[in-house]
């Protein structure tokens, strides 16, 4: 007898291209049979009319809390990973997560930001990644200064220790550290190449004009891949390219055709989000570089739009880690902007990743409670609630721009392939195959949809009927299992 049998669903495995009506049997935390299951299960779930697919893998999720996990569960996510910024010490981060309730599988990269802060300013780095950047902005040496040779040595030593503690690659949010030199970044990329792990890179510039344009930044990133051999994964391909997505995509395609290890991700929104203290907002040339006024920046805590650089500087001085929305594309009414977003979201071989923000309260603190539903006043970007379901609703159902099979590849299997050589556990995820982890999303392909809007950000998505994480139901019949705590750590292969 099996623990659970899912019956009569449409089985989708994006790696083998399996697409049949059948069953899935689960024992403990693993898939033990796919296809026709003759035996019975202690639990039998009728999936008639539903898709049975691998759970979605989000490699760019800043939430990393029970509240964030719960919202992402309704988005079909079973593994949520914080890779763009990362953390240090890595071992301590995993210890802290093990002491909390985690609904989904979780993991972390090694933080270049934290290493720079520790070495160049000696500030405490034991904070959540986004909070750390905001809290540390008062001493800007880590942001603005070129590191000495001795400092680079200390920074890379800290990061190497992070890899040995199980960090899954290196987070390189270059735009937040504009003073860092190319020599330092190249050393970090060489470290990643030596350990054979990816880097997760926020390109150095987001600008429509030279010098320091997005095109220059992509050319530099491609150069790192070629000169060091590092795998350069590009975070949020859509938001960092701004109006030059078409040219940036061409550069990436050419680099990939030459065999360079470059991968990309995007989320299906024309609005970004980050901390108000991000140095590129304070750039006096921000309007010229982005082609937008300061009113494109909207505070998350009170909904107000910025009106000037002085507004930005004042808000940053008050609380640099406050979150803001950055409306960089008008995808609701501008067809050209929609086309540009499509180039990133539908990029061949590219993946979907949310860049999900933490749920924050009116005072700017991160919500770490266990209330469900979330408190009405808890806010984040809608992508924290509905990235994957929005992609499926808009691109698969409404516009028919991607098939179910290819959509599942972008949401599950392809994300796993980006990191599985650095984290062997991922070879058992993103697939609906015997021997793989029972991280499974059972959903109604016709009704799956995001519900979150910028005026109502914490509405859970709909359409996911069952979500299993390591064989444990965390969503049943469309309802959250509030007692569930199924998440397990995902760690890199150089764990000490």
């Amino acid at each position: 007898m099996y623990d659970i049998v899912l019956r009569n669903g449409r089985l989708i495995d994006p790696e083998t291209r399996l697409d049949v009506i059948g069953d899935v049997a689960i024992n403990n935390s693993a898939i033990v049979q796919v296809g026709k299951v003759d035996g019975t299960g202690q639990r039998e779930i009728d999936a008639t009319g539903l898709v049975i697919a691998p759970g979605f893998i989000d490699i760019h999720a800043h939430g990393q809390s029970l509240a964030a996990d719960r919202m992402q569960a309704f988005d079909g996510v079973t593994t949520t990973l914080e890779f763009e910024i990362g953390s240090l010490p890595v071992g301590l981060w995993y210890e802290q997560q093990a002491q909390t309730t985690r609904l989904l599988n979780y993991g972390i990269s090694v933080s270049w930001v934290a290493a720079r802060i520790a070495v160049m300013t000696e500030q405490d780095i034991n904070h959540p990644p986004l909070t750390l950047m905001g809290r540390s902005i008062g001493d800007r040496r880590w942001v603005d200064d070129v590191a000495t040779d001795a400092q680079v040595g200390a920074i890379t030593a800290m990061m190497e220790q992070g890899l040995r503690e199980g960090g899954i690659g290196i987070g390189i949010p270059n735009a937040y550290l504009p003073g860092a030199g190319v020599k330092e970044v190249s050393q970090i990329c060489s470290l990643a190449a030596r350990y054979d792990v990816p880097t997760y890179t926020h390109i150095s510039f987001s600008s429509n004009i030279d010098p320091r344009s997005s095109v220059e930044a992509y050319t530099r990133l491609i150069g790192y891949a070629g000169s060091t051999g590092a795998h350069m994964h590009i975070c949020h391909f859509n938001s960092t390219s701004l109006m030059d997505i078409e040219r940036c995509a061409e550069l990436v395609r050419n680099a990939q055709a030459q065999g360079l290890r470059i991968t990309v991700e995007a989320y299906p929104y024309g609005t970004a989000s980050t901390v108000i203290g991000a140095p590129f907002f304070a750039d006096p040339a921000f309007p010229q570089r982005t082609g937008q006024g300061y009113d494109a920046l909207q505070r998350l805590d009170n909904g107000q739009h910025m009106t000037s650089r002085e507004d930005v500087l004042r808000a940053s001085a008050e609380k640099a880690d406050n979150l803001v929305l950055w409306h960089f594309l008008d995808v609701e009414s501008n067809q050209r902007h929609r086309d540009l977003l499509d180039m990133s979201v539908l990029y061949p071989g590219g993946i979907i990743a949310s860049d999900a923000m933490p749920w924050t309260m009116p005072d700017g603190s991160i919500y770490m409670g266990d209330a469900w539903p979330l408190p009405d006043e808890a806010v984040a970007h809608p992508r924290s609630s509905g990235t994957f379901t929005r992609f499926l609703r808009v691109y698969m159902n409404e516009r028919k721009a991607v098939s179910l099979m290819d959509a599942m590849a972008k949401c599950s299997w392809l994300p796993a392939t980006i990191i599985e050589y650095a984290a062997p556990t991922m070879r058992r995820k993103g697939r609906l195959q015997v021997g793989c982890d029972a991280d499974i999303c059972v959903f109604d392909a016709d009704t799956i949809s995001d519900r979150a809007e910028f005026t109502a950000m914490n509405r859970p998505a709909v359409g996911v009927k069952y979500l299993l994480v390591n064989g444990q139901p965390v969503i049943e019949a469309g309802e959250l299992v509030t007692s569930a705590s199924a998440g397990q750590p995902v760690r890199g292969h150089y764990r000490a």
Side-chain angles (χ1 to χ4, degrees):
M1 177 173 286
Y2 304 107
D3 291 343
I4 298 175
V5 178
L6 305 172
R7 294 285 186 190
N8 303 314
R10 183 179 175 184
L11 309 182
I12 298 291
D13 179 57
E15 182 177 44
T16 63
R17 311 295 285 185
L18 174 74
D19 184 353
V20 298
I21 302 299
D23 314 322
V24 176
I26 298 163
N27 270 339
N28 298 317
S29 61
I31 298 171
V32 294
Q33 198 165 349
V34 176
K36 175 65 174 173
V37 174
D38 293 324
T40 60
Q42 294 183 45
R43 282 203 61 193
E44 298 259 342
I45 296 174
D46 182 11
T48 301
L50 303 176
V51 172
I52 302 175
F56 306 155
I57 298 168
D58 190 355
I59 74 170
H60 189 163
H62 297 299
Q64 301 302 311
S65 68
L66 177 61
D69 284 358
R70 284 172 164 177
M71 292 300 282
Q72 287 208 291
F74 283 93
D75 205 24
V77 174
T78 52
T79 299
T80 177
L81 308 164
E82 159 58 282
F83 284 168
E84 181 198 27
I85 300 176
S87 188
L88 278 176
V90 166
L92 176 61
W93 186 88
Y94 279 107
E95 290 174 11
Q96 291 171 337
Q97 299 307 307
Q99 294 167 9
T100 67
T101 300
R102 293 302 304 265
L103 193 67
L104 311 180
N105 302 313
Y106 55 89
I108 199 79
S109 70
V110 178
S111 176
W112 176 43
V113 167
R116 255 192 156 239
I117 291 171
V119 170
M120 299 182 74
T121 73
E122 300 180 351
Q123 296 181 77
D124 177 22
I125 59 174
N126 187 22
H127 299 288
L130 288 174
T131 301
L132 172 62
M133 291 199 302
R135 284 178 177 239
S136 305
I137 203 70
D139 184 342
R140 292 183 57 91
R141 287 177 291 173
W142 66 275
V143 174
D144 297 328
D145 290 1
V146 174
T148 65
D149 289 346
Q151 288 172 330
V152 171
I155 289 167
T156 54
M158 286 188 71
M159 296 173 69
E160 183 168 8
Q161 180 59 32
L163 291 173
R164 291 186 175 277
E165 292 176 4
I168 309 171
I170 298 173
I172 308 181
N174 207 167
Y176 294 90
L177 298 82
V182 172
K183 289 175 65 176
E184 179 182 348
V185 179
S186 73
Q187 290 280 12
I188 294 166
C189 292
S190 290
L191 174 65
R194 179 155 56 89
Y195 274 77
D196 196 24
V197 296
T199 69
Y200 313 97
T201 307
H202 184 307
I203 61 169
S204 49
F205 316 122
S206 295
S207 169
N208 298 320
I209 60 174
D210 280 327
R212 295 187 295 123
S213 67
S214 296
V215 171
E216 178 182 339
Y218 276 97
T219 302
R220 178 185 290 187
L221 180 143
I222 290 165
Y224 289 138
S227 60
T228 69
H231 174 177
M232 308 298 292
H233 176 74
I234 300 168
C235 297
H236 36 54
F237 195 26
N238 48 326
S239 61
T240 52
S241 306
L242 298 179
M243 299 301 292
D244 282 327
I245 291 176
E246 190 168 15
R247 176 59 176 161
C248 293
E250 181 182 2
L251 295 174
V252 170
R253 275 195 302 273
N254 289 340
Q256 290 174 329
Q258 295 175 57
L260 297 182
R261 292 203 291 176
I262 298 174
T263 49
V264 303
E265 66 178 56
Y267 52 81
Y269 295 88
T271 296
S273 184
T274 187
V275 292
I276 187 61
F280 38 85
F281 293 148
D283 184 344
F286 174 79
Q288 292 76 29
R289 292 196 166 281
T290 64
Q292 299 166 323
Y294 288 99
D295 60 347
L297 304 178
Q298 182 182 8
R299 289 179 60 153
L300 201 59
D301 57 353
N302 59 23
Q304 293 181 355
H305 290 261
M306 300 289 101
T307 60
S308 64
R309 180 170 182 262
E310 288 68 33
D311 265 1
V312 172
L313 297 178
R314 189 180 306 111
S316 180
E318 290 171 0
K319 196 172 188 301
D321 60 338
N322 265 351
L323 298 177
V324 292
L325 301 171
W326 178 8
H327 303 285
F328 66 95
L329 291 177
D330 179 8
V331 297
E332 299 303 322
S333 58
N334 188 310
Q335 182 60 51
R336 176 58 179 167
H337 286 196
R338 285 195 291 271
D339 292 342
L340 291 172
L341 183 62
D342 289 354
M343 292 175 195
S344 59
V345 172
L346 298 174
Y347 184 86
I351 69 168
I352 302 301
S354 72
D355 196 3
M357 305 304 285
W359 290 95
T360 59
M361 302 302 283
D363 64 358
S365 63
I366 296 176
Y367 177 69
M368 297 301 293
D370 62 359
W372 185 258
L374 295 187
D376 290 341
E377 62 270 28
V379 294
H381 191 296
R383 68 194 186 198
S384 302
S385 305
T387 291
F388 293 86
T389 47
R390 180 182 180 88
F391 169 66
L392 297 177
R393 172 179 66 83
V394 174
Y395 288 91
M396 183 181 75
N397 285 345
E398 295 178 0
R399 296 177 48 194
K400 314 296 183 186
V402 64
S403 68
L404 173 62
M405 182 68 73
D406 290 339
M408 292 301 95
K410 281 181 168 288
C411 294
S412 59
W413 172 55
L414 288 173
T417 65
I418 288 173
I419 57 177
E420 64 188 17
Y421 69 93
T425 298
M426 298 306 297
R427 295 180 183 136
R428 302 193 304 271
K429 299 186 185 298
R431 295 142 167 110
L432 195 73
Q433 300 172 23
V434 172
C436 289
D437 294 341
D439 294 340
I440 298 173
C441 183
V442 182
F443 63 94
D444 186 328
D446 295 327
T447 64
I448 194 163
S449 177
D450 59 313
R451 294 173 60 244
E453 302 173 355
F454 288 103
T455 55
M457 302 178 187
N458 59 8
R459 291 177 181 165
V462 294
V464 174
K465 303 303 183 182
Y466 295 88
L467 193 76
L468 306 183
V469 178
N470 297 304
Q472 299 181 46
V474 301
I475 292 179
E476 289 201 53
E479 299 292 331
L480 179 73
V481 180
T482 56
S483 61
S485 179
Q488 294 294 317
V490 178
R491 301 183 78 155
H493 66 311
Y494 276 100
R495 185 169 33 153

